[in-house]
């Protein structure tokens, strides 16, 4: 599933703390064996957005 423009812009409007909480939740789910491709893609998108904010 590809992220739509609105989904990408939604990520930009969320707080860094909120994004970090979602990233951590996905990590816990993946540690539990839930490794869906959409979760991995979302986690990668979050990581990229957080990196962009740190620059």
């Amino acid at each position: 599933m590809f992220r739509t423009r609105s989904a990408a812009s939604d990520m930009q409007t969320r707080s860094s703390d909120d994004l970090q909480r979602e990233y951590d939740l996905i990590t816990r789910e993946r540690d539990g064996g839930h490794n869906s491709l959409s979760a991995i893609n979302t986690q990668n998108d979050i990581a990229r957005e957080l990196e962009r904010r740190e620059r």
Side-chain angles (χ1 to χ4, degrees):
M1 173 183 221
F2 293 100
R3 272 198 182 273
T4 63
R5 182 177 301 267
S6 62
S9 65
D10 174 57
M11 191 170 293
Q12 292 176 352
T13 61
R14 294 170 58 192
S15 72
S16 294
D17 288 341
D18 187 37
L19 290 174
Q20 187 63 53
R21 281 190 294 275
E22 184 174 353
Y23 185 91
D24 292 343
L25 174 63
I26 294 170
T27 298
R28 287 192 301 274
E29 290 174 347
R30 291 180 66 195
D31 287 347
H34 303 282
N35 290 309
S36 70
L37 185 57
S38 63
I40 294 168
N41 288 336
T42 300
Q43 194 172 39
N44 289 338
D45 291 344
I46 291 170
R48 279 191 290 276
E49 176 62 21
L50 290 171
E51 281 182 2
R52 184 191 68 77
R53 291 180 185 191
E54 291 177 5
R55 290 184 192 163

